[in-house]
Amino acid sequence: YKAILRQEVGYFDAEENSAGRVTARLATDATLVRATTGERLATSIQAVATLLAGIVVAFIASWKLSLVMLAIVPLIGFTAAVQMKAIVGFTEGNKESLEASGQVAHEAMVGIRTVQAFGMQAHVRTLFHDVIQRVTVRGIRAAIVNGLSTGSAMFNMFGAYALIFWVGSRFMEAGEITFTDTTRVFFALAMGAQGPGQQAGLAADQAKAMSAAKSIFAVLDRRSKIDPTSN
């Protein structure tokens, strides 16, 4: 808020910095960033620690079988990266549309007497509807991409489970490991991967927070052409 008030008057003449859009950013950006900090940040640290502990236990039980299991991690990571990139793209587009809808609503509320005097209620509703419709279309696309990528991640995970049991059975036939070691590797890595798997489900919130943080720092880092706080 302080950074916004520091900007010169010409800054607010731009359409992307109108009162409605700036108000929408103030109302949403900080809230979105806060959603991925605090308890969720602690959960992320816990997930990393759990994964590392699982890897250590698995390697102690059977380093060969653990290497086979970890070889699939890049594929799972690639799926998560594609999901994150897609969601970020949709989020940034939605953010602009939501700011535009905030601008329409703000201008209508501020000038409500003018709107009523000239009977422009239907016109204002149409403007608002057109902006929100773009958000709806992007939301449907984001849901489809998110569903496909999440399904792919689940497919990779269960494929990894099947692979570890198949490879483990080959190692047991060769007498290299025991059934106990196989199950120890499986459960250690499965339990260790639960934390990162839960974090992957929060990819949409993280993408929104990244977009919001980018918008916040764009204002904080901007140097006002005429700084009213300068002596």
Side-chain angles (χ1 to χ4, degrees):
Y1 186 65
K2 180 180 178 181
I4 291 174
L5 294 179
R6 189 181 65 239
Q7 305 304 323
E8 74 279 3
V9 175
Y11 173 83
F12 301 97
D13 291 337
E15 183 179 355
E16 64 270 16
N17 299 321
S18 64
R21 289 177 181 250
V22 171
T23 303
R25 290 177 206 157
L26 282 171
T28 58
D29 285 352
T31 303
L32 290 173
V33 172
R34 182 181 180 277
T36 57
T37 58
E39 293 183 1
R40 289 193 178 179
L41 181 60
T43 304
S44 300
I45 297 174
Q46 177 184 343
V48 174
T50 304
L51 178 61
L52 292 176
I55 292 175
V56 171
V57 173
F59 267 84
I60 292 175
S62 174
W63 64 271
K64 289 184 178 180
L65 191 56
S66 299
L67 286 177
V68 173
M69 188 71 173
L70 292 178
I72 311 173
V73 171
L75 177 61
I76 299 176
F78 174 76
T79 304
V82 172
Q83 179 185 18
M84 178 67 74
K85 185 175 181 179
I87 293 176
V88 168
F90 288 122
T91 299
E92 292 181 350
N94 277 349
K95 187 174 182 300
E96 295 177 359
S97 297
L98 288 172
E99 288 178 1
S101 67
Q103 178 184 0
V104 174
H106 178 269
E107 291 177 350
M109 295 299 101
V110 172
I112 187 64
R113 295 181 183 276
T114 303
V115 171
Q116 291 183 348
F118 289 92
M120 298 177 62
Q121 293 91 333
H123 176 68
V124 172
R125 281 201 308 271
T126 301
L127 291 176
F128 190 83
H129 175 270
D130 292 343
V131 176
I132 292 298
Q133 190 64 29
R134 294 198 294 269
V135 179
T136 304
V137 173
R138 288 196 183 98
I140 294 174
R141 293 176 181 172
I144 294 174
V145 172
N146 193 23
L148 291 175
S149 56
T150 302
S152 300
M154 295 297 292
F155 175 81
N156 293 335
M157 182 181 69
F158 288 111
Y161 290 168
L163 178 63
I164 193 172
F165 279 120
W166 181 80
V167 175
S169 66
R170 302 282 80 82
F171 285 163
M172 283 188 288
E173 287 181 351
E176 297 185 15
I177 61 175
T178 64
F179 176 76
T180 302
D181 291 333
T182 302
T183 54
R184 185 174 292 133
V185 171
F186 171 76
F187 283 110
L189 292 179
M191 295 296 292
Q194 281 187 0
Q198 293 174 353
Q199 293 299 310
L202 303 176
D205 293 337
Q206 293 172 351
K208 294 176 182 178
M210 290 172 60
S211 178
K214 182 179 179 181
S215 174
I216 290 174
F217 280 101
V219 177
L220 293 176
D221 296 337
R222 186 182 185 276
R223 295 177 62 89
S224 176
K225 295 180 180 179
I226 305 175
D227 190 354
T229 64
S230 172
N231 293 325

